[in-house]
């Protein structure tokens, strides 16, 4: 008899949309005939914590008298209890009419978090009343989070729980010390919710997907409860955290709480385990020692993994947060996005800082565009949402092109965004095609913003190539976010100042909408971690730890403070995202004696004037027309689009040729190349006649591009 499983997402994660891990697992296992149910314990818990009932309990604890901010919140406790339920109703999207009330000066109690609030006039001018109300409500919840953390749960945060405790834990002993403490009120609510679901489902197995360090303690606390109250239930742990951190696990203490720990993709091992077979990719505890079953010889393909199944999740309980006025930056926490993967792994998988030796990066496996769009339509039916966040390591441009054509072919209306690599494949016309299919934003790495260091990390792109890709997204109306990096081996203070200057110029040219600087971390699974000498550093302590092993320390000759450099980079970028600080020289953001930038002040603008690849004739390039059919008029063709019209002059021969060409290229089931179009063109006689190339290179062709004639 096949076993049943309850798949749990432990607290805490972004509450605006479900994390996709359990949905992928549930979808696969259900198609294999197993009874698989899923529970988003993270969003369930937040809905309880941010309620009048829970606040009435938590406000029974008065903070220390020397904490003025917490005393302020405590004194306003009646106001918090009166407003919390309406605020949560608004954030869930159930009553947008509350927005004006929330934005009123005296409705929300305001404590310490509001001291960092943007000017209210700027908020209204940038965001509008609905987004403004979300922003104020987020500050309000952050104040309550601070209070709960102070008086009850020291590890509680809006989107993570006891993350610092779980970061690079040498031994499970440190977590076990926390587990020996009585559960706080937040944890009591968490365990109560879990117990109710276990009692209802009576599953044979409970599986916890732990994507980040901030989910680990909550998952183990839940496992502790199951061990005590349901000793016959098997407990399985998997997800991103064990996959990256626990690959060399020898610490047996964790098996007091869980039976198995699965690495990499969980579909195959869970199918084996639920079928009473020995699961691959799995740590267990047997005969007094930790054992590993070995990697799968044939992992489940991305096609067989199939469409995620979000049915059974509490879609009505997800709620948006808005932690700033930057529209790109808000996408991660605002909006009900269906999280989907176009492909497994990374099609590049060469960056020196990335975990390229691990399966989730190095095993690239994609599905065709038709299958991917089938999945999108299925997920829309499951969730009622047409917004998609592709959580791939890097979306392949070839798949994106075919996906965009398939979306347009079906007349499907969706909004989507995801992670990419800024590279030459993203021509102006491809970006216009992606925008037409519903792409609103992309995020990708500019990393160290230095050609020398980009080559060292094997990024496969130069500043010029990154700039041109960003330009093309900008002109297509697609927002961009860039991941930036500092502290990479051999990166000098001069390099750091220069990288900020590149970022300043990119922001000033409006090529990027938001950005974030990440401090480089060397991991054991990355090329820089496996061969540090090639990057000019040496390992400080190669000793393997019994529990978590991922980030490793190294030594190098660095003559400046990384902490101070990081503070300077963050301060500058904070201003750039608010369209401020561009006139301040890059070096002036740093403390002490700092070298002047060596970057030419026109570096980025010089790149911007270079031609785009989609205006270079290639007989193999495909032509597509995604606009409305033009109307023939005397002397030319009248093109009309959503925002205007234009009459473009053509003689009779050109007019007839273009009508036939646009008709054929508008049929996205046909593939029409430039070579084929050129062969079908017969110039008329007369002085106004010319070859196909003359027609193509004329300004008139550029005008048609603006109405949807694209070279992809």
């Amino acid at each position: 008899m096949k076993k049943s499983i309850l798949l749990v997402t432990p607290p805490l994660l972004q509450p605006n949309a479900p994390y996709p891990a359990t949905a992928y697992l549930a979808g696969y296992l259900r198609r294999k005939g197993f009874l698989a149910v899923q529970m988003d314990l993270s969003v369930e818990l937040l809905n309880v914590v941010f309620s009048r009932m829970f606040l009435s309990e938590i406000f029974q604890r008065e903070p220390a008298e020397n904490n003025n901010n917490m005393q302020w919140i405590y004194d306003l406790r009646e106001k918090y209890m009166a407003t919390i339920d309406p605020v949560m109703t608004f954030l869930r999207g159930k009553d947008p009419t509350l927005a004006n009330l929330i934005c009123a000066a005296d409705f929300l109690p305001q404590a310490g978090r509001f001291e960092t609030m943007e000017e209210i006039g700027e908020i209204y001018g940038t965001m509008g009343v609905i987004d403004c109300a979300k922003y104020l409500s987020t500050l309000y919840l952050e104040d309550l989070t601070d209070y709960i953390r102070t008086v009850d749960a020291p590890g509680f945060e809006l989107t993570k729980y006891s993350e610092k405790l779980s970061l690079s834990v040498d031994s499970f002993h440190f977590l076990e010390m926390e587990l020996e403490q009585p559960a706080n009120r937040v944890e009591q609510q968490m365990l109560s919710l879990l117990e109710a679901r276990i009692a209802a489902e009576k599953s044979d197995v409970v599986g916890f997907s732990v994507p980040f360090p901030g989910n680990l303690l909550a998952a183990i606390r839940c496992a502790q409860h199951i061990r005590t109250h349901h000793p016959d239930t098997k407990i399985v742990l998997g997800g991103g955290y064990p996959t990256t951190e626990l690959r060399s696990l020898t610490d047996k203490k964790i098996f007091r709480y869980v039976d198995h720990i699965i690495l990499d993709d969980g579909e195959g091992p869970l199918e084996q385990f639920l079928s009473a077979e020995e699961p691959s990719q799995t740590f267990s505890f047997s005969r007094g020692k930790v054992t590993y079953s070995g990697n799968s010889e044939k992992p489940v393909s991305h096609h067989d993994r199939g469409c995620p199944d979000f049915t059974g999740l509490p879609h009505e309980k997800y709620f948006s947060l808005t932690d700033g006025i930057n529209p790109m930056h808000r996408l991660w926490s605002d909006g009900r996005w269906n999280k989907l993967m176009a492909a497994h792994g990374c099609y590049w998988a060469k960056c020196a800082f990335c975990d390229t030796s691990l399966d989730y990066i190095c095993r690239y496996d994609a599905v065709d565009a038709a299958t991917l769009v089938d999945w999108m339509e299925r997920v829309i039916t499951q969730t009622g949402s047409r917004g998609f966040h592709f959580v791939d390591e890097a979306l392949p441009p070839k798949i994106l092109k075919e996906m965009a054509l398939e979306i347009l072919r079906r007349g499907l209306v969706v909004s989507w965004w995801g992670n990419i690599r800024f590279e030459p494949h993203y021509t102006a016309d491809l970006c216009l095609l992606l925008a037409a299919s519903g792409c609103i934003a992309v995020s990708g790495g500019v990393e160290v913003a230095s050609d020398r260091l980009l080559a060292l990390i094997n990024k496969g792109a130069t500043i010029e190539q990154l700039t041109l890709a960003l330009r093309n997204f900008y002109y297509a109306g697609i927002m961009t976010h860039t991941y930036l990096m500092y502290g990479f081996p051999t990166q000098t203070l001069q390099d750091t100042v220069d990288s900020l200057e590149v970022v300043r110029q990119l922001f000033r040219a409006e090529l990027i909408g938001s950005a974030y600087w990440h401090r480089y971390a060397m991991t054991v699974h990355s090329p820089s971690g496996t061969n540090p000498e090639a990057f000019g550093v040496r390992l400080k302590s190669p000793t393997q730890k019994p529990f978590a092993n991922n980030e490793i320390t190294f030594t190098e000759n660095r003559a400046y403070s990384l902490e101070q450099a990081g503070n300077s980079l963050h301060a500058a970028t904070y201003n750039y995202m608010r369209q401020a600080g561009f006139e301040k020289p890059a070096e002036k953001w740093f403390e002490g004696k700092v070298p002047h930038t060596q970057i030419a002040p026109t570096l980025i603008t010089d790149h911007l004037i270079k031609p785009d690849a989609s205006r270079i004739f290639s007989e193999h390039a495909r032509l597509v027309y995604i606009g409305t059919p033009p109307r023939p008029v005397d002397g030319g063709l009248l093109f009309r689009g959503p925002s205007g019209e234009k009459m473009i002059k053509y003689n009779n021969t050109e007019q007839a040729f273009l009508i036939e060409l646009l008709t054929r290229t508008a049929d996205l089931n046909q593939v029409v190349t430039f070579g084929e179009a050129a062969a079908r063109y017969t110039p008329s006689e007369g002085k106004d006649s010319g070859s196909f190339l003359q027609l193509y290179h004329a300004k008139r062709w550029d005008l048609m591009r603006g109405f949807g004639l694209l070279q992809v």
Side-chain angles (χ1 to χ4, degrees):
M1 181 179 178
K2 291 183 176 181
K3 297 178 181 179
S4 59
I5 186 169
L6 170 63
L7 298 163
V8 180
T9 301
L12 289 161
L13 290 166
Q14 292 284 6
N16 60 307
Y19 195 77
T22 63
Y24 271 106
L25 294 168
Y28 177 82
L29 294 173
R30 288 167 180 170
R31 287 189 293 275
K32 293 293 183 177
F34 296 98
L35 177 59
V37 293
Q38 53 188 324
M39 179 186 191
D40 191 337
L41 186 53
S42 180
V43 79
E44 297 270 15
L45 177 61
L46 287 174
N47 273 264
V48 170
V49 167
F50 294 120
S51 68
R52 183 184 182 101
M53 178 197 71
F54 185 79
L55 291 189
S56 65
E57 294 181 16
I58 214 71
F59 278 128
Q60 293 176 13
R61 296 188 178 184
E62 187 173 355
E65 293 183 0
N66 61 352
N67 193 327
N68 184 63
N69 188 45
M70 295 302 104
Q71 280 289 337
W72 182 283
I73 294 175
Y74 179 77
D75 291 344
L76 294 174
R77 59 191 181 278
E78 293 297 332
K79 187 68 172 174
Y80 279 104
M81 288 188 288
T83 53
I84 185 62
D85 289 341
V87 166
M88 292 301 295
T89 298
F90 166 74
L91 290 176
R92 294 187 199 106
K94 294 183 177 179
D95 192 352
T97 64
L98 291 169
N100 285 291
L101 186 62
I102 291 171
C103 291
D106 296 327
F107 180 72
L108 293 180
Q110 300 180 11
R113 295 290 183 143
F114 283 80
E115 294 176 3
T116 63
M117 183 176 66
E118 310 282 348
E119 290 293 331
I120 196 70
E122 182 179 356
I123 298 173
Y124 275 113
T126 304
M127 304 176 77
V129 65
I130 295 290
D131 286 340
C132 177
K134 288 181 184 178
Y135 175 59
L136 296 176
S137 297
T138 301
L139 295 174
Y140 163 90
L141 292 184
E142 288 175 338
D143 274 333
L144 285 172
T145 299
D146 292 341
Y147 188 87
I148 293 168
R149 187 167 55 249
T150 300
V151 303
D152 178 70
F156 181 71
E157 294 186 47
L158 262 177
T159 58
K160 51 195 172 186
Y161 189 76
S162 290
E163 181 181 56
K164 292 181 180 178
L165 188 64
S166 306
L167 284 170
S168 299
V169 182
D170 290 359
S171 167
F172 187 77
H173 172 71
F174 298 105
L175 289 171
E176 196 163 47
M177 290 174 60
E178 186 69 21
L179 294 171
E180 291 171 353
Q181 302 299 315
N184 56 51
R185 294 195 182 191
V186 171
E187 292 173 330
Q188 289 170 13
Q189 292 293 336
M190 174 183 71
L191 298 177
S192 177
L193 290 166
L194 178 66
E195 176 60 32
R197 192 62 184 270
I198 289 175
E201 302 296 346
K202 297 181 174 60
S203 300
D204 301 304
V205 181
V206 177
F208 293 95
S209 180
V210 182
F212 307 114
N215 304 103
L216 180 62
L217 180 62
I220 302 300
R221 177 70 85 177
C222 289
Q224 179 188 44
H225 173 86
I226 296 171
R227 267 284 191 265
T228 302
H229 299 281
H230 305 276
D232 294 332
T233 300
K234 295 298 182 182
I235 305 168
V236 180
L237 194 77
Y241 178 84
T243 291
T244 55
E245 299 275 349
L246 305 184
R247 301 193 77 87
S248 54
L249 178 69
T250 58
D251 196 328
K252 63 184 181 181
K253 298 184 185 68
I254 190 173
F255 291 101
R256 297 171 184 168
Y257 306 92
V258 303
D259 295 291
H260 305 283
I261 297 174
I262 294 175
L263 305 183
D264 302 319
D265 294 348
E267 286 82 3
L270 283 178
E271 180 185 6
Q272 294 165 336
F273 179 67
L274 296 176
S275 301
E277 301 173 7
E278 182 180 357
S280 59
Q281 304 161 210
T282 301
F283 281 109
S284 305
F285 185 68
S286 176
R287 298 178 182 178
K289 64 178 182 179
V290 178
T291 63
Y292 183 66
S293 61
N295 294 330
S296 172
E297 294 182 1
K298 188 179 179 180
V300 175
S301 69
H302 191 50
H303 180 276
D304 291 344
R305 186 188 203 186
C307 179
D309 190 344
F310 292 94
T311 56
L313 291 173
H315 299 295
E316 74 285 354
K317 293 185 178 180
Y318 292 97
F319 60 95
S320 289
L321 299 173
T322 300
D323 57 3
I325 66 172
N326 187 289
M328 177 71 213
H329 221 56
R330 297 204 310 265
L331 286 178
W332 277 269
S333 61
D334 186 12
R336 176 59 180 80
W337 302 102
N338 302 310
K339 298 182 186 295
L340 198 64
M341 290 175 59
H344 181 284
C346 177
Y347 69 96
W348 179 249
K350 297 178 183 179
C351 295
F353 57 83
C354 191
D355 292 338
T356 55
S357 64
L358 297 187
D359 180 80
Y360 82 97
I361 297 290
C362 68
R363 183 169 63 86
Y364 176 69
D365 181 19
V367 295
D368 60 83
T371 299
L372 182 57
V373 179
D374 285 344
W375 291 353
M376 295 173 75
E377 291 184 320
R378 200 175 306 166
V379 169
I380 290 171
T381 303
Q382 296 169 8
T383 67
S385 173
R386 291 178 175 270
F388 289 85
H389 176 197
F390 288 97
V391 293
D392 298 55
E393 295 302 315
L395 286 162
K398 182 179 179 180
I399 289 180
L400 287 187
K401 181 185 78 172
E402 296 303 325
M403 182 189 80
L405 290 169
E406 186 67 22
I407 289 171
L408 294 170
R409 186 181 293 117
R410 299 187 190 191
L412 183 63
V413 177
V414 291
S415 174
W416 61 270
W417 63 289
N419 300 320
I420 67 160
R421 297 181 70 250
F422 295 117
E423 58 170 82
H425 286 99
Y426 291 104
T427 64
D429 282 9
L430 177 56
C431 291
L432 289 170
L433 179 70
L434 299 182
S437 73
C439 180
I440 61 168
V442 292
S443 55
V446 173
E447 317 303 356
V448 285
S450 156
D451 280 333
R452 179 186 74 83
L453 291 169
L454 286 171
L456 180 62
I457 68 174
N458 202 13
K459 186 65 180 176
T462 64
I463 295 297
E464 176 183 332
Q465 292 169 330
L466 295 168
T467 300
L468 294 178
L470 288 163
R471 175 194 67 183
N472 295 336
F473 282 112
Y474 170 78
Y475 282 121
I478 297 173
M479 296 186 292
T480 56
H481 171 86
T482 58
Y483 304 109
L484 302 168
M485 182 190 299
Y486 69 99
F488 193 79
T490 76
Q491 185 175 21
T492 64
L493 184 57
Q494 180 71 67
D495 291 327
T496 307
V497 172
D498 289 347
S499 67
L500 180 60
E501 172 61 15
V502 171
V503 171
R504 184 190 72 85
Q505 291 186 30
L506 289 171
F507 265 109
R508 187 177 60 180
E510 300 183 3
L511 298 182
I512 52 179
S514 73
Y516 189 81
W517 291 92
H518 300 264
R519 181 168 173 171
Y520 165 76
M522 180 178 286
T523 69
V524 296
H525 315 296
S526 67
S528 58
T530 56
N531 188 18
E533 291 80 9
F535 298 88
V537 298
R538 64 181 186 276
L539 300 186
K540 182 179 291 186
S541 176
T543 304
Q544 197 170 81
K545 295 170 286 189
F547 190 63
N549 287 278
N550 188 23
E551 185 175 350
I552 48 182
T553 56
F554 60 92
T555 59
E556 64 173 332
N557 297 322
R558 191 181 296 278
Y560 64 98
S561 167
L562 275 180
E563 182 177 358
Q564 289 182 2
N567 292 337
S568 300
L569 295 169
H570 286 301
T573 306
Y574 176 87
N575 281 273
Y576 298 160
M577 286 198 294
R578 285 153 181 78
Q579 294 298 302
F582 295 132
E583 303 310 315
K584 186 174 181 178
E587 62 270 13
K588 295 298 183 183
W589 290 100
F590 295 82
E591 297 180 6
K593 188 177 181 180
V594 178
H596 292 274
T597 180
Q598 295 180 354
I599 299 296
T602 60
L603 173 71
I604 298 302
T605 54
D606 289 344
H607 290 327
L608 290 178
I609 64 175
K610 295 173 182 176
D612 182 72
S614 59
R615 289 302 286 125
I616 300 174
F617 179 82
S618 170
E619 64 178 15
H620 301 295
R622 181 178 179 180
L623 269 172
V624 297
Y625 182 61
I626 59 174
T628 56
R631 181 182 296 274
V633 295
D634 288 340
L637 295 173
L638 178 64
F639 287 85
R640 283 180 171 148
S643 58
E645 65 178 26
K646 180 73 175 178
M647 201 284 279
I648 306 176
K649 294 181 180 181
Y650 294 106
N651 62 40
N652 291 338
T653 300
E654 293 169 335
Q655 185 186 82
F657 167 76
L658 288 172
I659 290 174
E660 190 265 346
L661 178 65
L662 295 175
T663 301
R664 294 179 64 236
T665 55
D667 180 0
L668 300 181
N669 290 308
Q670 293 190 52
V671 176
V672 180
T673 66
F674 267 108
E676 182 182 347
R680 296 172 71 95
Y681 180 69
T682 303
S684 61
E685 297 180 1
K687 63 178 182 179
D688 295 329
S689 176
S691 68
F692 178 80
L693 282 179
Q694 288 175 304
L695 177 65
Y696 170 72
H697 288 299
K699 184 179 180 180
R700 295 175 298 170
W701 194 281
D702 275 334
L703 293 174
M704 287 193 296
R705 290 177 68 236
F707 286 94
L709 182 59
L710 306 178
Q711 174 180 337
V712 296

